[in-house]
Amino acid sequence: MESESPRDRSAAVAAHRAHQSDWREKELGWPAGPPTHRGAAKRYPVLGSCLAPEFDGRSAKAEGLNLMSPAAKSYADARLAQLQTLGGLAEDDRLWRNLLSSQPLAFSIAGELREHPAATARVFAALTGQQVASLEDLADTQTPSHDLGGIEAEWFPPRDLHTGDRSGFDIAAYLRLQEGESLLVSVEVKYVDTFSAKKVTWERYATQLASAGLDEGSMTRIVAAGGSQFLRSVLLTDSLRRHGLRRRHEVHRTLAVVLGRQDDRNARKVVQTIAACQPHTPVAYWSHEDFFDACAAQPELARWAGRMQRRYVLAVGKTWTSE
């Protein structure tokens, strides 16, 4: 069945949809499949940016076609089993079939980087400007366990001990610095998706906002900029700075990051707005290009990083100004 091209909200989204469709056809040799979003499935039987569930007796999920290395596939299988016991948020169909989803991007990064902890420490050193010595485990002895094994996808601490909502991190990394302190980096991964429109309110988050160094005026500016989703991530990150995983204060420093496209002006604006309010947990924007370049500088990750760049970064001349 021939795939259709929906009317996307911007030229940037349309360009990446076409790029992922080309990747599916030329790199994977796999047919297009039905949309993973229920609303889109009512309008389009097939989209070029989605993988068919089955082809020629093979399964897109079983082969991990939407992930970018065997290590990422193995990690995703194990992590999804863990998340079932924790009530995590990974969506099976988006992960295995939706080429435009940020979820396979996050799992591809965490799964591959876990295999190369020394190189990953150097990547985070380059990106954070900190003297990172190593990745370390943030261990949790309780059941179910919220272990952070160096770097994880779809990670969150015990919710009742922190912000009490459904917030979590697309990627989280627990690092040991040369001087001995720990650094927890939370990462909100974006591709063509936008931030959730669900607004943070002072009534619900006053205590967490004040503890993070933000007053009601700051919250109002961040919400007006469309930054509620990332703000909740910042509040959760800062709660870990103050308390650690289970009130054991294992986290000395924190950094909250958005990892997104170079041309995503809306996401950059959100990060800039929060940064201007000077929360206790600093924030940063890392582009896909910067992240993959930092990985490519490490011999162990260079080949994987090159493949990630080919899939997720448009060639010169195909870039667009974001909506």
Side-chain angles (χ1 to χ4, degrees):
M1 183 181 296
E2 187 175 347
S3 64
E4 298 187 46
S5 297
R7 180 178 293 180
D8 288 306
R9 68 176 185 273
S10 72
V13 176
H16 281 277
R17 186 183 300 279
H19 182 67
Q20 291 298 329
S21 184
D22 283 347
W23 176 269
R24 171 190 54 76
E25 183 177 344
K26 297 172 183 176
E27 294 285 335
L28 302 179
W30 199 266
T36 60
H37 187 275
R38 200 173 288 177
K42 294 178 180 178
R43 301 192 299 273
Y44 307 103
V46 171
L47 286 179
S49 55
C50 290
L51 296 166
E54 308 281 341
F55 174 59
D56 198 23
R58 299 154 60 203
S59 163
K61 176 179 178 178
E63 297 195 16
L65 295 175
N66 206 18
L67 299 176
M68 297 297 286
S69 68
K73 170 63 166 64
S74 297
Y75 171 68
D77 288 337
R79 184 65 181 150
L80 289 179
Q82 292 174 333
L83 288 171
Q84 285 184 344
T85 68
L86 293 169
L89 299 176
E91 298 176 37
D92 196 77
D93 220 24
R94 279 183 60 212
L95 176 62
W96 301 117
R97 293 203 307 107
N98 191 333
L99 293 154
L100 281 177
S101 170
S102 58
Q103 203 163 81
L105 174 56
F107 273 88
S108 291
I109 291 170
E112 183 65 20
L113 267 57
R114 287 171 61 87
E115 293 294 296
H116 308 282
T120 299
R122 295 192 295 270
V123 168
F124 277 98
L127 291 166
T128 64
Q130 300 292 322
Q131 293 185 322
V132 178
S134 61
L135 266 71
E136 289 201 357
D137 291 349
L138 179 55
D140 183 14
T141 58
Q142 301 296 310
T143 302
S145 176
H146 291 261
D147 274 340
L148 200 175
I151 182 169
E152 302 278 6
E154 293 292 335
W155 185 83
F156 52 93
R159 292 179 171 125
D160 59 327
L161 299 181
H162 293 277
T163 54
D165 57 20
R166 298 285 295 175
S167 296
F169 308 130
D170 294 332
I171 297 174
Y174 185 63
L175 312 169
R176 184 65 56 185
L177 303 180
Q178 295 284 3
E179 64 266 33
E181 288 189 320
S182 62
L183 169 65
L184 188 141
V185 180
S186 65
V187 184
E188 179 75 26
V189 179
K190 292 297 177 190
Y191 184 28
V192 299
D193 47 326
T194 58
F195 289 114
S196 167
K198 184 178 179 181
K199 294 182 178 180
V200 168
T201 65
W202 184 255
E203 291 74 19
R204 167 63 178 82
Y205 290 96
T207 299
Q208 290 91 350
L209 286 159
S211 296
L214 298 167
D215 59 20
E216 188 171 5
S218 297
M219 182 212 73
T220 300
R221 290 192 295 276
I222 295 165
V223 171
S228 288
Q229 180 184 345
F230 186 47
L231 177 56
R232 281 189 287 269
S233 183
V234 172
L235 296 180
L236 182 58
T237 308
D238 197 70
S239 181
L240 285 156
R241 177 188 64 84
R242 299 193 310 274
H243 304 299
L245 190 63
R246 294 184 184 270
R247 302 297 194 263
R248 294 175 183 170
H249 305 282
E250 314 97 324
V251 178
H252 303 120
R253 300 188 199 176
T254 48
L255 173 66
V257 173
V258 173
L259 174 64
R261 300 192 326 268
Q262 183 76 39
D263 66 344
D264 193 337
R265 292 191 304 184
N266 288 343
R268 284 185 181 275
K269 178 182 177 183
V270 165
V271 174
Q272 290 165 357
T273 302
I274 295 178
C277 295
Q278 298 183 317
H280 296 321
T281 288
V283 297
Y285 190 90
W286 296 346
S287 72
H288 296 159
E289 289 90 330
D290 289 342
F291 189 88
F292 299 145
D293 284 349
C295 292
Q298 306 305 319
E300 304 97 311
L301 295 169
R303 185 174 180 180
W304 171 85
R307 196 161 183 260
M308 294 292 283
Q309 287 170 327
R310 291 195 300 277
R311 176 171 173 183
Y312 287 107
V313 178
L314 293 183
V316 175
K318 291 187 178 181
T319 55
W320 299 84
T321 301
S322 181
E323 62 277 15

